Amino acid sequence: MKNWKILPVCFLCLFLICVMDKNLAESGDFKKQRIEKRVVELINEMRTKGSICGEKNYKPANPVAWNDKLGKASLHHSLDMARNGFLGHKGYDGSSTKERLSRIGYKWITFGENVAEGYRTTEELVKGWIESTSHCKVIMNPDFKEAGAAYAKSSGKFYWTLILASPER
C-alpha cells in the first residue's frame, strides 16, 4: 500500500522533467534563432558601410529585413546539406534556390544565395563571405530588401545558408 503514495509524486516528477526538457529545447531554439539573425545583423553592418568586392567598390546599401520564409528556406537547405554531407546551391534532390523559394511560398523579383561549410561563428562566416568576391557581391546587392539565414550541424561540421531577396509586391 505504501507504494501507492509514491505514485502521485512520480507523476509529478515526470511532468516536471517533461516541462523542463521542453523549456530547454525552446531555449536552444531561441539561441539558434539569435545566431541566425546575427548573420543578418552582421551583413547589414557591411551593407551600411559599403565594401570592396574584388575590384569593385560597392556603395553603402540599405539594410535588409529579416524574413521568416527566407529563414525557413535557408534552414531546409542547410539541413539538406548537413544530412547528405555536401556543399552547394543545388539541393540533394536537384532543387534550385528558385524551386525551394517556390515550395515555401515566397514570391520574389530577384534573389541571391550564399552557402558555406565549416565556419563555427557568425563573425568568421560573414568575414569569409565578404572576402569572397562572388559572395560579397550577393551581400552588397542594393536590390535585395529581405534576408533569412540558417545553419545545421552534422558530424561536427556547420552548414550555412543565406538567402537575400526582393519580394514581389
Side-chain angles (χ1 to χ4, degrees):
M1 275 315 239
K2 291 180 184 178
N3 291 341
W4 287 106
K5 291 180 182 179
I6 295 173
L7 195 57
V9 174
C10 290
F11 281 122
L12 178 62
C13 290
L14 183 60
F15 172 77
L16 291 173
I17 289 168
C18 290
V19 169
M20 287 171 52
D21 281 348
K22 183 177 185 282
N23 289 337
L24 288 174
E26 287 173 358
S27 68
D29 289 345
F30 179 72
K31 181 180 177 188
K32 188 173 187 321
Q33 287 176 339
R34 274 196 358 247
I35 291 169
E36 293 165 347
K37 288 186 177 182
R38 179 70 179 139
V39 171
V40 175
E41 288 172 11
L42 291 170
I43 284 164
N44 280 334
E45 287 176 18
M46 295 306 304
R47 288 173 64 88
T48 57
K49 287 182 198 173
S51 186
I52 297 172
C53 302
E55 307 265 327
K56 186 172 180 187
N57 187 21
Y58 280 78
K59 294 179 183 176
N62 289 328
V64 291
W66 177 267
N67 180 281
D68 286 335
K69 285 185 177 181
L70 295 177
K72 184 176 180 179
S74 295
L75 178 59
H76 287 185
H77 191 55
S78 291
L79 288 168
D80 183 26
M81 291 188 296
R83 279 187 201 117
N84 295 296
F86 74 95
L87 177 68
H89 294 284
K90 193 170 262 200
Y92 191 74
D93 64 356
S95 62
S96 65
T97 309
K98 177 182 177 178
E99 291 166 324
R100 292 190 298 275
L101 290 174
S102 293
R103 281 183 200 158
I104 54 114
Y106 186 86
K107 299 191 185 311
W108 51 271
I109 295 169
T110 185
F111 67 86
E113 179 183 69
N114 284 351
V115 294
E117 173 189 12
Y119 295 100
R120 298 184 70 76
T121 69
T122 54
E123 289 76 10
E124 291 171 2
L125 170 72
V126 173
K127 183 178 185 278
W129 278 337
I130 291 297
E131 290 173 353
S132 162
T133 301
S134 60
H135 293 100
C136 181
K137 287 179 180 180
V138 171
I139 290 169
M140 294 307 300
N141 185 330
D143 294 335
F144 297 141
K145 309 295 180 218
E146 298 177 337
Y151 74 92
K153 186 178 175 186
S154 177
S155 301
K157 285 186 180 178
F158 289 82
Y159 295 85
W160 300 86
T161 304
L162 166 71
I163 302 175
L164 298 109
S166 288
E168 195 175 80
R169 296 285 177 201

